[in-house]
Amino acid sequence: MTNLKGKLATAALIVVSASGVGGCATTEYVDQQIATVNQRIDGVESRLVQTENTANTALSQAQAANTSAQNANRRLDAVEARLNAPPPPPPPPRAPRN
């Protein structure tokens, strides 16, 4: 019976040791995982730069369109003012030529 307890204790020690060693990450594994994450970060950063460029282009186009619309509104206001102005008085009648 003592021999059986010793064997069980040895087997348990081996199982615990093996599971403890297997749980440690090697430097190579960690480096691989970090490289994968860094690649994903680089991809996200490049998409972010593209998105910022697109947003800046859209902003400049929107500002140009706003300026154009303001100019068109000014011209329209000038035309409306001319149309809504009272008509000029009629010219005085001419004396007939004899």
Side-chain angles (χ1 to χ4, degrees):
M1 188 118 155
T2 307
N3 194 14
L4 182 61
K5 285 184 181 180
K7 288 181 182 181
L8 285 175
T10 304
L13 182 62
I14 290 172
V15 169
V16 169
S17 297
S19 64
V21 171
C24 295
T26 63
T27 304
E28 184 179 324
Y29 175 78
V30 172
D31 289 343
Q32 287 174 349
Q33 297 304 311
I34 289 174
T36 302
V37 171
N38 284 339
Q39 286 175 346
R40 293 172 75 185
I41 289 171
D42 291 342
V44 169
E45 285 178 345
S46 68
R47 287 193 312 232
L48 176 62
V49 168
Q50 290 174 347
T51 302
E52 285 176 344
N53 290 339
T54 302
N56 289 335
T57 301
L59 176 62
S60 66
Q61 289 175 348
Q63 289 171 336
N66 184 35
T67 302
S68 179
Q70 287 175 346
N71 291 337
N73 282 336
R74 281 190 209 108
R75 290 192 310 267
L76 179 61
D77 289 343
V79 168
E80 283 181 346
R82 281 188 284 165
L83 290 175
N84 292 331
R94 291 183 170 193
R97 289 182 174 186
N98 294 21

